[in-house]
Amino acid sequence: MESKSSQIKLFEETMVRVAWDEDNEKWWLSVVDVVAVLTDNDYQTARKYWKNLKSRMLKEGSEIQLVTDCYQLKMQSSDGKFYNTDVGDTEQILRLIQSIPSKKAEPFKLWLAQVGSERLDEIADPEKAIDRAFETYLRKGYSENWINQRIKSMEVRKGLTDEFKRAGIENHQQYASLTDIITREWSGKSTKKYKVLKGLKKENLRDHMTNTELILNMLAEVATTDIAKEKNPQGMTETAKVAKQGGGVAKAARKEYELQTGKEVVSPLNALDLKKQNTESIVAKDKMDGE
């Protein structure tokens, strides 16, 4: 079973990996992540808990058929790689909740219902997904200007991945490799080194780009998309060449920007740093004006 729309949802600031099944219109949730939430344990401890629980249920002949019905999907781990992960649909997760004593059982049930409701709302009205993304970034402290750029970058990214699919690119490793080629070409750094520069580990690099970085990254992806439409690459080798060409367009723009402004585009700063700096500057100015 393949996941076509995997993502991360937050329950009380705890990560829960989920995947939307378009064919059957339902969510699949990482069982280990759910166990971690319910037991207040870290990932490794939750894995052991889940392993022991499965064994016990099999021995007891439990009526909870979560064990035999459990699917596996490739989901991204904290190291950035994708591994087969036990998943359950909403009905199975509700049965799992019944088998684990937890003070978070009821809040998690309500959260589960909300997640399902939001997805159905978004299918009926895609604009609601955009509104929710905007509100989420706003709560995290990003500026409205940055959020608008970030949401636009999601649209650009979707267009790029559609072209990748048309070229026969299918697995996550290939997508990651092509993204790395684009990033390396325009920024002069691999995705890994770029994240190290910003002090990131498993976080999304785009969520920590400044406005200028985000704009140039979008330019690289738009250029790659348009070149792909013109050249119609097939397979990884041809698509990689197009990715390098698209990144080269943004590279030229970056160099011209740096020449004219005297400022380096790629930096350790991120959007939240700049928001904080601007706020502190305003506070300092107001304090000086008041003295």
Side-chain angles (χ1 to χ4, degrees):
M1 180 180 183
E2 292 297 328
S3 166
K4 294 183 180 179
S5 180
S6 60
Q7 53 190 278
I8 291 173
K9 297 286 186 180
L10 292 179
F11 171 77
E12 296 181 354
E13 303 304 316
T14 301
M15 178 187 75
V16 179
R17 291 168 295 168
V18 301
W20 177 250
D21 183 345
E22 293 183 3
D23 293 335
N24 297 298
E25 293 192 352
K26 64 180 179 180
W27 285 112
W28 295 98
L29 294 86
S30 164
V31 174
V32 174
D33 291 351
V34 173
V35 171
V37 167
L38 296 175
T39 60
D40 285 321
N41 283 317
D42 59 30
Y43 182 78
Q44 293 302 327
T45 305
R47 281 186 63 189
K48 293 177 182 177
Y49 188 105
W50 169 231
K51 181 179 179 181
N52 292 334
L53 179 60
K54 282 198 295 185
S55 177
R56 190 187 77 211
M57 288 162 61
L58 284 171
K59 289 179 181 178
E60 295 175 354
S62 172
E63 294 180 359
I64 301 175
Q65 296 185 2
L66 187 62
V67 176
T68 56
D69 292 346
C70 194
Y71 289 105
Q72 285 199 330
L73 292 176
K74 283 189 178 296
M75 288 187 162
Q76 192 169 21
S77 185
S78 58
D79 62 4
K81 297 181 180 179
F82 287 79
Y83 301 97
N84 284 329
T85 303
D86 286 347
V87 295
D89 62 16
T90 302
E91 182 181 357
Q92 292 167 330
I93 295 301
L94 287 173
R95 290 175 177 174
L96 174 64
I97 293 172
Q98 294 173 3
S99 68
I100 300 177
S102 173
K103 62 183 180 181
K104 292 186 177 179
E106 290 307 314
F108 193 83
K109 288 179 185 178
L110 293 175
W111 174 84
L112 194 59
Q114 181 184 3
V115 168
S117 174
E118 287 178 356
R119 178 60 187 181
L120 294 177
D121 287 346
E122 289 167 6
I123 292 172
D125 183 3
E127 191 172 325
K128 289 186 177 180
I130 298 174
D131 292 339
R132 288 195 178 102
F134 193 97
E135 291 171 3
T136 299
Y137 281 119
L138 203 59
R139 285 197 300 270
K140 289 183 177 181
Y142 291 95
S143 70
E144 291 190 8
N145 181 45
W146 183 92
I147 297 171
N148 286 326
Q149 296 286 358
R150 181 68 179 97
I151 290 175
K152 180 64 179 176
S153 76
M154 295 177 188
E155 178 186 337
V156 168
R157 179 69 181 177
K158 178 63 167 58
L160 177 64
T161 55
D162 285 346
E163 281 304 307
F164 284 168
K165 288 177 184 177
R166 194 167 67 88
I169 305 305
E170 297 179 350
N171 64 58
H172 293 289
Q173 287 78 12
Q174 289 178 317
Y175 278 96
S177 295
L178 291 169
T179 298
D180 192 60
I181 289 170
I182 295 171
T183 303
R184 187 191 301 269
E185 187 63 24
W186 83 258
S187 71
K189 292 186 179 295
S190 66
T191 303
K192 182 177 180 180
K193 288 184 177 180
Y194 206 152
K195 293 179 77 169
V196 168
L197 177 68
K198 288 186 178 291
L200 308 177
K201 292 183 179 178
K202 61 183 180 180
E203 299 92 337
N204 188 307
L205 177 58
R206 292 176 185 82
D207 281 352
H208 293 78
M209 286 183 173
T210 63
N211 272 357
T212 307
E213 289 172 309
L214 206 51
I215 289 169
L216 285 171
N217 192 69
M218 279 194 288
L219 174 59
E221 294 190 338
V222 166
T224 302
T225 301
D226 290 344
I227 295 170
K229 288 178 179 178
E230 288 297 320
K231 297 192 173 183
N232 192 29
Q234 294 299 311
M236 185 64 182
T237 301
E238 292 181 8
T239 306
K241 291 178 181 178
V242 168
K244 185 175 177 66
Q245 292 169 343
V249 173
K251 177 182 179 180
R254 173 179 66 82
K255 288 190 172 182
E256 183 63 21
Y257 175 92
E258 292 175 340
L259 178 65
Q260 297 298 329
T261 65
K263 298 177 182 178
E264 290 190 7
V265 171
V266 178
S267 76
L269 291 175
N270 62 52
L272 289 175
D273 289 334
L274 296 175
K275 173 88 172 177
K276 182 179 179 181
Q277 287 179 3
N278 290 337
T279 301
E280 290 174 347
S281 296
I282 292 172
V283 171
K285 183 177 183 302
D286 289 344
K287 184 176 180 181
M288 290 179 63
D289 291 343
E291 291 178 349

